[in-house]
Amino acid sequence: MTYLAHTAHAQLAALWLSCVGWTLTAVALGLIQWRVWLVSDREVISSGVAWVGVWRACFNSFTEVTPGFRVMHCRHIGLTEAFTPPEIVAGQVLMMLSLLTGLCGNAGGVYTLRNVYFGVEKSSPIRLSFFATGALCLAAAVMSLIPLLWNLTSVVTNQTIRFPSDFKMPQAPDSQHVGCGIGVGMVGTFLMPDVVRSRHRPDGTTHSKYFQNKMKALWSFAHNRL
């Protein structure tokens, strides 16, 4: 049985980065700071700042306080509500699918590296397993990137959300900017497909090094022939 553990160090590092990316994507989904609204009327929104996330819209207030909070008012944004914009709906659906797909991809990567490091080569096709892991992580990254870019575009183009009156939100902000939720999600999205960029090779090189070695060998062969 061929010992392959020394050939999978790059894949181990890539899987670790992919897991970090998946964790950041999960964190981004729970953050309320996707859109940061700045308002001048501070009668209800005491700080003049409101946050709109994928699941909730919140702001600090001394007059309207949600039970369970000390100085914050929050309302849930429903998937089927008439006021919910399509980019928020896409965020709720695609981000959840991204987490599920990414979890399957990372679990497959752990299983594959377990087979590599413990020398279980014949029981599973190593290269096919790495390919499946990369495909799942890449699909997860694409699914999370779509709502992130969509919401980013909505903020840049200063699009508003017509919240119902019980949200106590203004019809439109004075100005808005991108919150840390989108930034965290972007970082996580770009980390998840690292498994694809470090495909396993039997000689222990990554895909890029494998290509470079092939080109060097081809150039050496052509030079010797001439």
Side-chain angles (χ1 to χ4, degrees), residues 25-189:
T25 302
V27 170
L29 182 60
L31 290 175
I32 59 174
Q33 296 92 345
W34 280 52
R35 305 184 188 192
V36 181
W37 284 19
L38 304 179
V39 298
S40 56
D41 186 3
R42 302 194 177 188
E43 182 178 353
V44 177
I45 305 177
S46 304
S47 62
V49 179
W51 304 282
V52 180
V54 175
W55 301 105
R56 294 179 299 168
C58 301
F59 55 83
N60 290 329
S61 177
F62 297 116
T63 59
E64 297 287 341
V65 180
T66 301
F69 293 92
R70 298 182 63 182
V71 291
M72 182 173 284
H73 178 272
C74 286
R75 295 290 293 180
H76 176 74
I77 301 176
L79 178 66
T80 58
E81 298 289 346
F83 70 90
T84 307
E87 62 269 22
I88 296 294
V89 174
Q92 293 180 354
V93 175
L94 290 179
M95 292 293 284
M96 291 298 294
L97 290 176
S98 174
L99 290 179
L100 180 60
T101 305
L103 180 63
C104 294
N106 288 328
V110 171
Y111 175 76
T112 303
L113 286 175
R114 173 256 182 191
N115 291 341
V116 170
Y117 278 96
F118 286 93
V120 188
E121 181 185 1
K122 294 182 179 180
S123 63
S124 63
I126 300 297
R127 186 172 298 180
L128 180 60
S129 298
F130 272 116
F131 177 81
T133 297
L136 288 172
C137 290
L138 181 60
V142 171
M143 282 188 284
S144 64
L145 184 62
I146 292 173
L148 287 167
L149 290 179
W150 198 347
N151 281 273
L152 177 62
T153 302
S154 298
V155 174
V156 172
T157 56
N158 202 31
Q159 297 182 21
T160 188
I161 302 175
R162 301 294 181 180
F163 287 105
S165 58
D166 58 337
F167 274 73
K168 309 298 181 181
M169 295 281 286
Q171 291 299 308
D174 296 337
S175 63
Q176 61 178 311
H177 61 266
V178 177
C180 62
I182 292 180
V184 171
M186 286 289 189
V187 175
T189 296

